[in-house]
Amino acid sequence: MRTIPRLWCPALLLAAFAAASVAQIKSFTLEEMVQTADQAVHGQILASRVTRMESAKDGESYYTTLTIQGRALASGQPITVDVTFRGGFLSETEGVFNSEAPAADEVKLGRRVVAFYRWSDDMGSGMAANALVAAHGGLYRVVEGARGAAVLGRGEGYAIRANQRIEHLESAVRLLKNR
């Protein structure tokens, strides 16, 4: 049995760490998220559908589109909007997982959410849609608490790091949009 000399171990660890660090996902502050997004909606998921697209350039792609009805965070105006992200299944065997897609539990019908989105002429394979900004990082669950609705924060590196009342988020988004 052949072993790796001790001098090579640190070099191999450094190379593995460097390769892993290249694949990091961009973190967003709330200000960066608001600047990147065309709009943000606070509402309820009314519908979900998966679309299969094909192109010579990108091959086969699957996209999930959520229909969200609620209010625009910046203006408070009523809105119904379709928001799309990569991944999804048409059946148990036809579709694709995407590690950057929101978890299935986050996008259940009836779920209340905040979603940041931006128009894309081509998300891939010719899919034009309101793309969820930062993949799963642009979608946040909303729950009812003792003092009203609260947006669940997702921790360091996410636009909404800590839980906060929806009124506070709306005020912050309005302020950032009007800068």
Side-chain angles (χ1 to χ4, degrees):
M1 183 172 176
R2 193 172 165 192
T3 61
I4 298 172
R6 285 183 187 243
L7 295 175
W8 284 100
C9 288
L12 289 173
L13 286 173
L14 183 60
F17 178 73
S21 67
V22 172
Q24 288 183 352
I25 299 165
K26 181 180 178 359
S27 63
F28 278 88
T29 64
L30 181 59
E31 182 175 11
E32 291 169 330
M33 182 67 79
V34 170
Q35 289 172 352
T36 301
D38 291 338
Q39 183 80 270
V41 60
H42 163 228
Q44 185 174 25
I45 299 173
L46 298 181
S48 176
R49 67 183 180 282
V50 175
T51 304
R52 179 178 175 264
M53 302 287 288
E54 272 196 57
S55 76
K57 177 183 167 199
D58 299 317
E60 183 179 82
S61 300
Y62 291 85
Y63 297 91
T64 299
T65 300
L66 306 174
T67 300
I68 303 171
Q69 182 179 45
R71 294 186 336 260
L73 278 184
S75 69
Q77 296 297 312
I79 187 173
T80 300
V81 63
D82 287 340
V83 178
T84 302
F85 57 88
R86 291 178 165 274
F89 283 84
L90 291 170
S91 70
E92 284 188 28
T93 58
E94 185 180 6
V96 66
F97 284 108
N98 183 330
S99 63
E100 293 307 307
D105 188 53
E106 295 176 317
V107 295
K108 285 183 178 177
L109 295 183
R111 180 78 66 206
R112 289 180 56 201
V113 297
V114 167
F116 293 87
Y117 59 92
R118 179 182 186 96
W119 179 257
S120 174
D121 289 329
D122 188 358
M123 293 178 65
S125 298
M127 181 67 161
N130 285 316
L132 188 61
V133 173
H136 71 277
L139 185 82
Y140 298 85
R141 286 181 58 181
V142 176
V143 297
E144 203 58 44
R147 296 189 305 190
V151 181
L152 299 182
R154 300 185 79 183
E156 191 67 38
Y158 287 91
I160 302 172
R161 292 177 29 210
N163 299 349
Q164 60 183 285
R165 292 178 48 199
I166 191 70
E167 297 85 27
H168 296 156
L169 179 62
E170 288 171 345
S171 294
V173 169
R174 220 172 280 125
L175 182 66
L176 291 167
K177 268 294 195 195
N178 293 324
R179 277 188 175 177

